[in-house]
C-alpha cells in the first residue's frame, strides 16, 4: 500500500509557471499577420485578449509568477494526487511502475480549469465584463464557466454541434455555473450563419467554433476571447501539472523513464511533459522518453505538415507555426472529444520539430478498450481523451513487460459525463476511422511551409 497516492500540501503548490520557450532548441517562430505576412505584435491582438495574457504569450522569461488570487481558487482542488496504478500493472502483467497524475478532481472534472482560472482572473483585472469561447468535448467550456463564475464575469460558449448533441450534461454543467451555451455553427454570428447556409447538417468543428467566438469578442467592447489550448500562455498555465508531478516523484525517490500525454491542441501533453523536458534540455537528466498520443481520426502530428496556418476556419486568427491538417478540416463525429483539432500548439510543434518526443496515433476502439481496462482495474472511468494516454502508457509498459521502468501519464479527466460514448462502445456502434494522408496533402498544399 505504500506510495499508492503521493500528495503535496497546499504550501507545496507551485508559485510560478514554467515557460519552455527560452529553452527550446531552434526557438519558436512568431505568429504572422495574415495581411502582411510579417511577425505580429501584441497590439493587433489586444482587441480580443487582455494585455497580461499577451505578455505571457510572448514572454522570454522562463518563470512566470502565479498571482495569489489565482492560487487561492486553484487550492479548491490543487495540488492533485499522483497515483500508482498498481492494479493496472497487475492486470496487464508488467513489472513497469505506472503512475498517473489525476486531474479529474477539479470542479469541471479535467485539467482545463488550470488555465481557465488564470484567464478569467487576468480579464477581470483589466475590466473585461464578458468572455466568449469555444469548446469541443465540453471540458473547456465547463472550466471557463466555472472560472468566470468565480470572478464575476459573463460567459458565452460556442459548443461544437456534434458534442452539443452527444454530451447534454456538459451543457447542464455550464448552465449551472451561469454560462450561455449554443451549438456551433450557430445563428448568433455572421460566420455561423454562413456555414449553416452551406451545410445545415454540419457536425461543426473546433475551427468553426473558434471563428464564432472570435467574431463575438471582436464585435463587443465589453468582451474578450478565451482559448483552452494551443496558445503559449495556456501551455504555461498547464505546467503546474508537471511541476507538481516532479515534486511528488522527489518525495518517493523516483523519476520517470517515460512521460505520456494525449495530444489534441497540446496543453494536456505539454503541461505534464514540459517541466520534465526542461531537465533533459539542461542536461540534468538524460534518457527520459516523451510520448504524445493522438487519435488516428485527427493525426495532426503523425500525418500533418508543419506550416503557417490559421487556428480557425474563418481565418480570423494570426498565422501560427504549427503541425496542421489544414484549417478547413471537419473531423468525423466520433468520441475522441477535445482531441479533434486540426492544428497543434506552436510549442508542441517546435518540440516535435526538434525530435524531443515521439508522436503516435491510436484508434478509437483500442482507446475505449484501454479505458474500460483501466476503469475495471483502478476504479476511475477516464474521459475519452484521457483514454488515449491510458492506451499509450499500456503500450509502453508492454514493450518489455520485464523492464521495471517508471511510466507516468496525465489522466486529464474523468469520463462520468461521457458515459453515452462508453455505452456506444459496448453496443458496438463505434468504428475506427483513419484520416487519409492524401486529404492532408490537398488541404495544406497552399500553406506557407516552415
Amino acid at each position: 500500500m505504500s506510495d499508492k497516492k503521493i500528495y503535496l500540501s497546499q504550501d507545496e503548490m507551485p508559485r510560478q509557471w514554467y515557460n519552455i520557450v527560452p529553452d527550446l532548441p531552434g526557438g519558436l517562430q512568431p505568429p504572422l499577420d495574415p495581411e502582411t505576412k510579417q511577425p505580429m505584435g501584441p497590439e493587433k491582438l489586444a482587441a480580443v485578449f487582455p494585455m497580461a495574457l499577451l505578455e505571457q504569450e510572448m514572454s522570454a522569461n522562463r518563470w512566470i509568477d502565479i498571482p495569489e488570487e489565482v492560487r487561492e481558487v486553484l487550492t479548491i482542488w490543487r495540488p492533485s494526487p499522483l497515483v500508482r496504478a498498481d492494479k493496472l500493472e497487475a492486470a496487464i502483467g508488467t513489472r513497469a511502475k505506472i503512475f498517473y497524475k489525476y486531474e479529474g478532481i477539479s470542479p469541471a472534472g479535467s485539467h482545463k480549469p488550470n488555465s481557465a482560472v488564470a484567464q478569467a482572473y487576468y480579464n477581470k483585472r483589466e475590466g473585461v465584463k464578458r468572455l466568449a469561447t469555444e469548446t469541443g468535448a465540453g471540458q473547456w467550456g465547463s472550466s471557463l464557466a466555472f472560472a468566470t463564475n468565480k470572478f464575476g464575469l459573463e460567459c458565452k460558449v460556442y459548443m461544437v454541434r456534434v458534442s452539443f448533441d452527444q454530451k447534454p450534461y456538459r451543457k447542464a454543467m455550464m448552465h449551472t455555473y451561469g454560462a450561455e451555451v449554443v451549438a456551433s455553427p450557430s445563428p448568433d454570428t455572421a460566420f455561423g450563419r454562413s456555414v449553416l447556409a452551406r451545410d445545415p447538417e454540419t457536425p461543426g468543428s473546433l475551427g468553426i467554433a473558434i471563428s464564432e467566438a472570435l467574431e463575438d469578442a471582436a464585435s463587443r467592447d465589453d468582451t474578450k476571447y478565451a482559448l483552452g489550448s494551443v496558445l503559449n500562455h495556456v501551455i504555461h498555465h498547464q505546467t503546474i501539472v508537471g511541476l507538481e508531478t516532479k515534486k511528488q516523484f522527489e518525495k518517493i525517490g523516483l523519476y520517470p523513464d517515460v512521460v505520456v500525454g494525449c495530444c489534441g491542441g497540446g496543453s494536456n501533453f505539454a503541461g505534464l511533459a514540459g517541466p520534465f523536458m526542461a531537465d533533459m534540455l539542461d542536461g540534468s537528466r538524460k534518457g527520459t522518453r516523451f510520448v504524445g498520443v493522438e487519435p488516428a481520426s485527427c493525426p495532426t502530428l503523425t500525418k500533418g505538415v508543419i506550416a503557417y496556418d490559421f487556428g480557425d476556419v474563418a481565418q480570423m486568427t494570426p498565422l501560427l507555426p504549427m503541425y496542421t491538417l489544414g484549417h478547413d478540416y471537419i473531423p468525423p463525429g466520433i468520441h475522441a472529444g477535445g482531441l479533434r483539432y486540426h492544428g497543434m500548439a506552436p510549442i508542441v510543434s517546435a518540440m516535435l520539430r526538434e525530435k524531443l518526443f515521439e508522436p503516435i496515433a491510436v484508434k478509437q476502439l483500442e482507446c475505449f478498450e484501454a479505458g474500460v481496462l483501466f476503469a475495471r482495474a483502478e476504479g476511475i472511468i477516464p474521459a475519452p481523451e484521457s483514454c488515449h494516454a491510458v492506451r499509450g502508457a499500456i503500450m509502453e509498459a508492454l514493450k518489455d513487460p520485464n523492464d521495471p521502468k517508471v511510466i507516468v501519464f496525465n489522466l486529464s479527466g474523468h469520463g462520468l459525463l461521457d458515459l453515452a460514448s462508453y455505452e456506444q462502445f459496448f453496443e458496438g456502434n463505434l468504428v475506427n476511422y483513419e484520416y487519409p494522408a492524401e486529404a492532408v496533402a490537398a488541404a495544406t498544399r497552399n500553406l506557407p511551409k516552415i
Side-chain angles (χ1 to χ4, degrees):
M1 291 295 292
S2 62
D3 300 334
K4 174 66 178 177
K5 289 185 180 178
I6 301 94
Y7 291 104
L8 298 175
S9 69
Q10 279 189 194
D11 288 342
E12 292 176 294
M13 190 171 75
R15 295 183 178 276
Q16 293 178 308
W17 294 299
Y18 170 57
N19 174 13
I20 197 173
V21 173
D23 297 332
L24 282 173
L28 193 66
Q29 290 94 339
L32 300 183
D33 186 320
E35 295 178 359
T36 67
K37 302 300 188 293
Q38 297 300 309
M40 180 178 278
E43 60 283 344
K44 291 197 74 170
L45 295 172
V48 291
F49 290 109
M51 283 307 300
L53 291 178
L54 291 175
E55 290 169 2
Q56 292 181 13
E57 185 70 16
M58 301 177 182
S59 176
N61 299 321
R62 295 182 75 245
W63 298 100
I64 299 169
D65 290 339
I66 304 176
E68 282 304 309
E69 295 90 339
V70 172
R71 292 184 82 251
E72 181 180 354
V73 178
L74 295 179
T75 57
I76 293 173
W77 73 97
R78 304 212 71 88
S80 64
L82 178 67
V83 187
R84 174 79 179 272
D86 54 337
K87 302 299 188 295
L88 177 64
E89 296 166 11
I92 64 176
T94 181
R95 293 184 60 205
K97 298 180 178 67
I98 304 176
F99 292 82
Y100 60 92
K101 180 68 165 168
Y102 187 38
E103 293 293 295
I105 64 169
S106 78
S110 77
H111 67 298
K112 293 290 188 178
N114 298 330
S115 184
V117 171
Q119 292 190 49
Y121 164 76
Y122 287 115
N123 276 282
K124 176 71 172 183
R125 195 178 70 177
E126 295 187 21
V128 176
K129 304 296 183 184
R130 180 177 176 272
L131 290 180
T133 195
E134 76 295 323
T135 193
Q139 291 182 344
W140 170 248
S142 303
S143 300
L144 194 67
F146 159 76
T148 50
N149 172 262
K150 282 296 175 186
F151 289 103
L153 301 174
E154 296 179 37
C155 183
K156 173 73 171 282
V157 181
Y158 294 86
M159 187 174 184
V160 176
R161 178 190 280 184
V162 65
S163 291
F164 185 91
D165 295 335
Q166 288 173 349
K167 303 188 178 189
Y169 296 116
R170 281 287 171 193
K171 288 181 287 185
M173 179 181 283
M174 291 180 240
H175 288 148
T176 300
Y177 287 129
E180 180 185 358
V181 190
V182 295
S184 173
S186 78
D188 294 9
T189 66
F191 183 69
R193 292 190 293 272
S194 71
V195 174
L196 289 171
R198 292 194 305 270
D199 182 6
E201 302 304 317
T202 177
S205 73
L206 274 172
I208 293 171
I210 290 171
S211 295
E212 290 205 88
L214 280 168
E215 180 184 326
D216 184 319
S219 67
R220 293 181 51 154
D221 292 338
D222 63 347
T223 301
K224 298 288 188 184
Y225 170 66
L227 185 64
S229 191
V230 180
L231 297 179
N232 297 352
H233 64 267
V234 184
I235 288 177
H236 304 338
H237 301 159
Q238 291 294 352
T239 60
I240 196 169
V241 176
L243 293 167
E244 285 183 5
T245 306
K246 284 178 70 172
K247 287 186 177 183
Q248 286 161 317
F249 272 120
E250 289 171 6
K251 280 180 175 278
I252 57 174
L254 292 177
Y255 194 92
D257 299 299
V258 186
V259 178
V260 179
C262 58
C263 290
S267 67
N268 185 327
F269 170 75
L272 175 66
F276 290 101
M277 205 172 280
D279 296 342
M280 180 179 70
L281 292 171
D282 70 15
S284 59
R285 287 279 182 174
K286 296 181 180 180
T288 302
R289 292 177 49 245
F290 301 88
V291 180
V293 190
E294 65 181 4
S297 63
C298 192
T300 309
L301 295 168
T302 53
K303 289 186 179 178
V305 300
I306 188 165
Y308 273 104
D309 195 9
F310 293 97
D312 72 314
V313 177
Q315 304 179 27
M316 297 176 66
T317 70
L319 287 165
L320 301 174
M322 60 184 181
Y323 277 88
T324 179
L325 299 174
H327 56 268
D328 288 325
Y329 171 69
I330 303 294
I334 65 168
H335 291 278
L339 302 185
R340 297 177 296 195
Y341 183 60
H342 71 274
M344 185 55 59
I347 284 177
V348 178
S349 296
M351 290 175 177
L352 182 57
R353 180 197 69 205
E354 300 301 322
K355 298 179 171 58
L356 299 179
F357 75 96
E358 305 162 32
I360 61 172
V362 292
K363 298 176 182 178
Q364 178 175 225
L365 294 182
E366 64 191 41
C367 289
F368 274 97
E369 289 168 357
V372 171
L373 174 61
F374 183 88
R376 292 174 179 175
E378 293 293 323
I380 296 171
I381 299 175
E385 298 86 359
S386 304
C387 288
H388 292 68
V390 175
R391 174 63 179 160
I394 291 173
M395 290 170 66
E396 288 296 321
L398 293 181
K399 281 184 175 179
D400 183 354
N402 293 314
D403 184 356
K405 59 190 171 188
V406 177
I407 301 169
V408 64
F409 70 93
N410 191 1
L411 188 62
S412 53
H414 67 65
L416 297 182
L417 296 181
D418 302 287
L419 291 176
S421 59
Y422 276 89
E423 192 66 16
Q424 291 292 305
F425 169 72
F426 289 122
E427 293 175 355
N429 294 329
L430 300 186
V431 297
N432 287 325
Y433 175 82
E434 293 187 68
Y435 193 67
E438 57 269 22
V440 180
T444 60
R445 184 175 293 119
N446 297 322
L447 297 178
K449 302 300 188 292
I450 295 174

